Amino acid sequence: MIALIMFIVCLLMLTLGYPVAFTFGGVAVLFGLYTQGLDLFLLVAYRLHAIMTNVTLMAVPLFIFMGLILEKSGIAERMLESMGLLFGHVRGGLAVSTVVVGMLLAASTGVVGASVVTMGLIALPVMLKYSYDKKLASGVICASGTLGQIIPPSIVLIILGDVLQQPVGDFYRAALLPGLLLVVLYIIVCLVAAYLKKDFAPPIPRSSALSTVHYWQVFKAIVPALALIMVVLGTVIAGVATPTESAAMGAVGAIILALPGGRFRFSMLHQVAMETTKISAMVFTILAGATFFSMVFTYTGGDEAVEEIMQYIPGGQWGFVILMMLVIFLLGFFIDFVEIAYIFVPMIAPVLLKLDIDPLWFGILIALNLQASFLTPPFGFSLFYLRGVAPASVSTLEIYRGVIPFIFLQLIALAIVMVFPGIVRVF
């Protein structure tokens, strides 16, 4: 039971506010010394070396770099403005535009924080200006920003591919339809809410009609970004390039898109490089602590204990899947997706083989489930991102209430993919 106690101690320390990486690493040190002694720590260097030389994980900082270039150069801002021109005259059109741009940003960046902050700065003031309901505006921005968790090139999919020993390209193909399903659900709810309550999401007045110049602006803002997305994702899905190679192409492509119009500056490049380093350092520090924790957990018999406990779950495969989805959903209230992917998922991965569960399908379920972790209080990062850029007229309670319908939509999408597993094998 030592391994399970170790896991519970970590959760308790996280609820007290201790840093994630040092919590898992510190608890692993204490329990490792108690159970195995100093000899266990001889393996730590080999574990860390394996992480730092993992070619697949090299794609993480490259995709972060690509996303930040698109954000800092104003490309994401112009995409949002262009979609607003196209759909703004429809009731609920600004909300639909936010969802579509959230999808495009997810497919070109994969960085949730950048997407939420960008749309919060640009879309939220416009929606408030045209008397959109504050809860709907807040909810659609937070939910659309988290699409980067499931739509490739998602960092979550790269991590899950590494943990579950599945090709990242297969995960990208499997995630396409579930991601689009979620986008469609968001759009439907926005349009239905605008139709049922006339003052909920009014249209932009017809006085600002679209002209040929506007359409040309839309074309210039959307098509180059779409071309970059097609190149980056297409090469991975087609098997032409590895995720790391496609991420490198995406980083260079983002710089090329930033060159026209003099938007590229070396000062911007320096700022992007610094932020990429900070975010990557955070991810890999958490990864180092999680790896050390999983090593101690395994050597203290934790994996055997988990397998033994899982044997008593009623319902076989379905009982296991439903229980694990419930546990991951609850864990998402308190810990980040990186810790869940690198600590909890390896605990249950051996059980997948014994129960003959498709790891690709199960991984997509986890990715869909982890989206909710960005929206659920008290540690929903999307809520914090939006609160940081939202005007004082939008209360924190309105932001929290606004995301509730979208959490239910994420659970509906999760249930659909769970009941129809063939969705992940369409492409």
Side-chain angles (χ1 to χ4, degrees), residues 90-105:
V90 180
R91 189 179 298 277
L94 289 177
V96 173
S97 301
T98 303
V99 175
V100 174
V101 172
M103 176 187 69
L104 294 175
L105 289 178

Side-chain angles (χ1 to χ4, degrees), residues 198-285:
K198 304 300 182 183
D199 58 342
F200 217 58
I204 295 176
R206 283 282 181 183
S207 56
S208 52
L210 282 175
S211 64
T212 305
V213 176
H214 289 139
Y215 282 114
W216 175 242
Q217 291 175 351
V218 171
F219 179 85
K220 289 194 300 182
I222 300 297
V223 172
L226 279 177
L228 179 64
I229 293 169
M230 295 296 291
V231 170
V232 171
L233 298 186
T235 52
V236 179
I237 292 174
V240 177
T242 65
T244 305
E245 292 167 344
S246 68
M249 288 190 297
V252 174
I255 293 175
I256 294 174
L257 291 184
L259 289 175
R263 293 184 296 266
F264 182 82
R265 294 284 188 276
F266 281 104
S267 58
M268 181 196 76
L269 185 63
H270 178 266
Q271 183 182 5
V272 168
M274 292 298 292
E275 289 192 29
T276 300
T277 303
K278 291 178 182 178
I279 297 173
S280 301
M282 178 194 71
V283 171
F284 281 93
T285 303

Side-chain angles (χ1 to χ4, degrees), residues 366-379:
I366 294 174
L368 282 169
N369 202 334
L370 289 178
Q371 286 216 140
S373 68
F374 277 84
L375 301 181
T376 49
F379 299 120

Side-chain angles (χ1 to χ4, degrees), residues 41-127:
F41 294 88
L42 297 174
L43 300 172
V44 175
Y46 294 103
R47 289 284 187 122
L48 294 179
H49 182 265
I51 294 173
M52 295 304 142
T53 56
N54 189 319
V55 178
T56 301
L57 293 179
M58 287 171 59
V60 173
L62 289 170
F63 277 129
I64 294 173
F65 179 87
M66 182 180 79
L68 291 175
I69 284 287
L70 294 176
E71 178 203 356
K72 301 297 182 184
S73 63
I75 294 174
E77 179 179 347
R78 287 190 298 279
M79 288 170 59
L80 193 53
E81 293 172 347
S82 299
M83 297 306 297
L85 285 173
L86 286 179
F87 297 107
H89 300 298
V90 180
R91 189 179 298 277
L94 289 177
V96 173
S97 301
T98 303
V99 175
V100 174
V101 172
M103 176 187 69
L104 294 175
L105 289 178
S108 57
T109 69
V111 183
V112 171
S115 299
V116 175
V117 169
T118 300
M119 292 190 292
L121 288 172
I122 304 164
L124 185 58
V126 176
M127 284 193 275

